[in-house]
Amino acid sequence: METVVWVVHVGAALGIIGLVLMQHGKGADMGAAFGSGSAGGVFGASGASNFLSRSTAILAAVFFCTSMLLTWYSGHGNKGTSVMNEANALKTPVVSTPVKEIPTKSNEIPK
């Protein structure tokens, strides 16, 4: 099931990218505000939303939902494991032989 959500998520992301690139930007009519023609407002009301903007909104909602599902899957996938438990399991006991005497000037090792 997680694979299906991943496929839908990537498809929605690519769809949003494509739809946003196909849309006509509102900044393209900037010249109208400075007296060069039609004045429908620079960033004002733009009338009813068209097919591209509605499709983008729907894909954004799908992308949001699949993001939430993937977050839920990642949190509920590995129950009972802990980073600290795994780190303790990897530790190996250190075996060392104790030194009877540390050589100093007074008790140097004989030659």
Side-chain angles (χ1 to χ4, degrees), residues 12-91:
L14 294 175
I16 289 172
I17 291 169
L19 287 173
V20 167
L21 289 176
M22 286 192 303
Q23 290 181 18
H24 181 70
K26 289 185 179 181
D29 293 330
M30 187 72 144
F34 299 109
S36 70
S38 68
V42 178
F43 296 115
S46 61
S49 60
N50 58 8
F51 173 75
L52 290 177
S53 61
R54 286 183 186 175
S55 300
T56 305
I58 291 169
L59 282 180
V62 169
F63 184 81
F64 178 76
C65 291
T66 56
S67 296
M68 297 301 283
L69 273 173
L70 289 172
T71 303
W72 185 79
Y73 279 137
S74 70
H76 288 75
N78 296 331
K79 286 273 188 189
T81 60
S82 170
V83 175
M84 294 306 292
N85 289 339
E86 291 175 11
N88 289 334
L90 295 176
K91 286 184 180 177

